[in-house]
DNA sequence: CGAATTACCGCATACGATTTCACAACAGGA
DNA sequence: TCCTGTTGTGAAATCGTATGCGGTAATTCG
């Protein structure tokens, strides 16, 4: 028992299999990779090899294969925050599609930061993968271009943030959905002072949803005082903070729209902690329709997206590129948004 | 522009750097890997190499390094269900520790199935990593032994499910916590008919928590009719189903304990949909204390665990093994559980 | 001043797989 | 008998990096 520290043990290799089956290592390779179509292998030899594989419990080392210029059988997925339930069905869908292609998925989260996203890109340059699923907030076309140019990787992305000639994207028409929701708030519920909880402007989604909000208010010819705009970091805690700011105003909003459900839920907490009621005192609308939206009381009125479908579409498009079934310009898939009226507004 | 299909482009290699810096590839390797300690490198040479690295934008291919017998700079983490908020702080903690060691984390979820867990083991045999963080429910000592024997990987695990001489484990004393909670339900709230929502017996956690439940009832000399036991699959939907079964009984329970918060939340939904109230008609206690536990109304009484701390402990122990700072027998770390009384019971 | 260090660096090989090329054996046809 | 295929197999190059070993020039020592 020498001190081995953390050095890995020698695994079962193809050569071991070859030795046991009394064939050369290349024959083993051919049997396993199913190259028998082009290069014939004797039936009896094949049997011997398969037996040896089974009795040794051999598994190919995928690093070696990928080094030689083959596929890595791995895709990487970059999401902002796996703690946000919105991404769960998406991750799940991607994993399902990947597994059906015998691929593994490596997930990284970026905490909504540019550093996190850059780290991800570097990471897939050092450890190449066959495909990338991105949910980018800060990455620019240049960053993605660099990554594609260096690794030739296939890419699919969520959102309208990036437009790259070789990247397929899936996006919801969130502008229209926001417009619909706010207009409904004004017309059907006759709100006039509506607060907006967004995120900082380096998120293009935030900018877009605020524009839609502003547009709806403009159309109704309602004022847009600056104190009706608060900004958070997508988390429920930040939504709570934002709502507290609203409530400390001499004239708080009578309704609030938050750009995601987590912040809306946090805002509702703040309302209740202040001894007020939703929707009587402050109506609330969120975005995403995550499961907790139906757990809170009152149930959250929100804009439903279809993350599972979005994930599925991205993954499917990605594998079409990986397998060379498609290699044309970046496609754009629109996924529907649906305004869901519950109890909070 | 030949048709390139999905074949990856040739990346910048060490040889390219070497050529540009007019040195041999091995010198580049030594400069970058900081092996200058054992084999000295001229200051001026080092400069040239670094310049070339920068100007070419070179990143080492980690697959190649790991092939050569080095570290992979990657650990893999296996969790049951990434959609369960309980795991989020744990995943986050593991990632934080890993990144501080310049490691990447690959996450896989198993959907609570044995197949999923086995797939994970196979996957890390084919694509070796330096360390494993496991949240195993079905894996046996034999499976883990096989994995360690073949890859020499370091392992840390959550729970009391596995006991392996080389695996460090972190666990909460959930039996005591359950005992405390149920006893409180009996003594402080004088419940006599208490329902139990568990999981099937191939989860050792489920068995253990049910034993503790049974023990508490025994100590209070209360009956344990079989109709007071329902079983779900950890999801809120299954909790809702289980509760509906309880409510269809001629004599439904006056209190229910669920082995996790998700099922407890689902059960509360069922109570409310039946037009009943928590805690007046049916009191509810969960387990885990995930964020939604404070979002639902009434707020959920539950047993708090500390997933962030657990993740941190596991990761720290793992890296001690990876770096050879520790190589003794498997350590057992106990993390505290805390009974949190809110409004649902 | 010749020999022994030392500082610095390159050559060659190994890691585990894929893939190209070569080749042996054997068949059938001229 | 010679040539040409066909079939089945092995040898060797290759991917990008790490490293043992050996070599060369500069330096130190006796």
């Amino acid at each position: 028992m020498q001190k081995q520290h953390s050095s890995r043990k020698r695994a079962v290799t193809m050569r071991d299999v070859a030795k046991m089956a009394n064939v050369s290592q290349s024959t083993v390779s051919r049997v396993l990779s199913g190259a028998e179509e082009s290069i014939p292998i004797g039936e009896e030899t094949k049997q011997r090899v398969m037996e040896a594989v089974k009795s040794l419990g051999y598994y190919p080392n995928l690093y070696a294969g990928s080094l030689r210029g083959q596929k890595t059988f791995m895709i990487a997925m970059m999401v902002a925050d796996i703690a946000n339930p919105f991404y769960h069905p998406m991750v799940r869908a991607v994993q399902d599609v990947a597994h059906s292609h015998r691929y593994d998925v490596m997930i990284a989260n970026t905490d909504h930061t540019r550093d996190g996203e850059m780290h991800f890109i570097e990471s897939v340059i050092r450890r190449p993968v066959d495909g990338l699923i991105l949910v980018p907030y800060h990455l620019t076309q240049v960053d993605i271009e660099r990554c594609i140019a260096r690794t030739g990787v296939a890419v699919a992305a969520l959102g309208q943030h990036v437009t790259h000639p070789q990247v397929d994207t899936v996006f919801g028409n969130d502008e229209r959905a926001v417009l619909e929701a706010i207009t409904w708030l004004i017309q059907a519920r006759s709100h006039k002072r509506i607060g907006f909880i967004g995120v900082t402007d380096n998120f293009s989604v935030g900018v877009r949803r605020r524009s839609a909000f502003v547009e709806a208010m403009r159309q109704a010819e309602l004022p847009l005082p600056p104190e009706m705009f608060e900004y958070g970091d997508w988390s429920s805690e930040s939504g709570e903070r934002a709502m507290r700011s609203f409530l400390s105003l001499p004239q708080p909003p009578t309704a609030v729209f938050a750009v995601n459900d987590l912040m809306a839920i946090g805002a509702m907490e703040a309302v209740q902690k202040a001894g007020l009621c939703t929707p009587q005192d402050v109506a609330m609308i969120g975005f995403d329709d995550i499961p907790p939206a139906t757990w809170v009381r009152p149930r959250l009125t929100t804009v439903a997206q279809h993350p599972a479908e979005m994930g599925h579409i991205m993954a499917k498009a990605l594998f079409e590129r990986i397998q060379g079934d498609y290699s044309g310009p970046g496609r754009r898939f629109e996924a529907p948004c649906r305004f869901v009226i519950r109890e909070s507004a």
Side-chain angles (χ1 to χ4, degrees), chain A residues 33-294:
Chain A
S33 63
E36 332 135 33
E37 311 300 321
S38 49
I39 295 163
I41 301 278
E43 193 53 46
E44 194 257 356
T45 311
K46 218 182 291 181
Q47 290 298 332
R48 279 210 317 278
V49 170
M50 293 310 268
E51 263 172 43
V53 165
K54 187 159 287 178
S55 88
L56 288 172
Y58 167 78
Y59 287 93
N61 180 328
L62 292 178
Y63 293 148
S66 90
L67 225 207
R68 185 59 230 275
Q70 291 314 294
K71 300 234 165 96
T72 62
F73 292 104
M74 176 132 133
I75 66 175
M77 179 168 189
M78 183 189 94
V79 297
D81 180 12
I82 50 164
N84 186 336
F86 171 66
Y87 297 115
H88 297 157
M90 210 162 75
V91 170
R92 167 56 47 96
V94 169
Q95 281 182 331
D96 287 348
V97 175
H99 286 161
S100 77
H101 288 271
R102 319 221 59 200
Y103 266 66
D104 283 321
V105 183
M106 160 170 176
I107 302 163
N109 52 356
T110 61
D111 294 336
H112 293 287
T113 66
R114 178 166 165 80
D115 277 357
E117 301 192 357
M118 292 306 284
H119 175 80
F120 177 83
I121 294 294
E122 277 183 25
S123 170
V124 297
I125 289 179
R126 288 193 305 222
R127 203 183 268 110
V129 294
D130 295 344
L132 248 41
I133 303 264
L134 303 178
V135 183
Y137 286 107
H138 304 287
L139 249 32
T140 67
Q141 279 80 329
V142 178
D143 300 321
I144 293 176
E145 174 55 37
R146 189 170 70 112
C147 186
I148 294 180
R150 297 190 46 137
T151 65
V153 72
V155 182
L158 178 74
Q160 310 188 44
H161 176 65
V162 294
T163 55
H164 184 283
Q166 295 174 55
V167 175
D168 300 317
T169 57
V170 179
F171 59 95
N173 195 328
D174 51 354
E175 287 167 289
R176 184 169 27 173
V178 171
L179 199 68
E180 183 187 349
I182 303 300
T183 302
W184 175 85
L185 215 43
I186 297 168
Q187 295 183 350
R189 291 291 190 266
S190 46
H191 285 282
K192 291 188 168 20
R193 284 184 70 77
I194 305 177
F196 176 87
I197 301 181
V199 290
T200 56
D201 272 6
N202 38 32
F203 295 99
S204 68
V205 202
V207 175
R208 230 178 29 252
R209 291 185 191 168
R210 189 185 52 202
S211 304
F213 171 81
V214 167
E215 173 65 17
M217 295 295 276
R218 283 250 165 77
Q219 285 183 8
E221 297 181 351
L222 289 172
L224 288 159
E227 67 269 23
M228 286 295 106
F229 292 83
E230 285 287 338
Y231 297 92
D233 64 3
W234 305 98
S235 72
S236 63
E237 290 82 5
S238 74
E240 200 171 333
R241 275 195 301 275
M243 191 69 221
R244 274 203 301 271
S245 297
F246 280 146
L247 292 177
S248 70
L249 253 35
Q251 272 205 311
T254 63
V256 168
F257 169 74
V259 296
N260 78 340
D261 282 353
L262 247 25
M263 292 199 293
I265 288 172
M268 275 179 47
E269 288 285 310
V271 170
Q272 297 186 22
K273 280 181 185 163
L276 300 174
C277 281
T278 304
Q280 292 82 356
D281 300 310
V282 185
M284 189 68 58
I285 292 186
F287 204 106
D288 284 349
D289 194 25
I290 59 181
T294 66

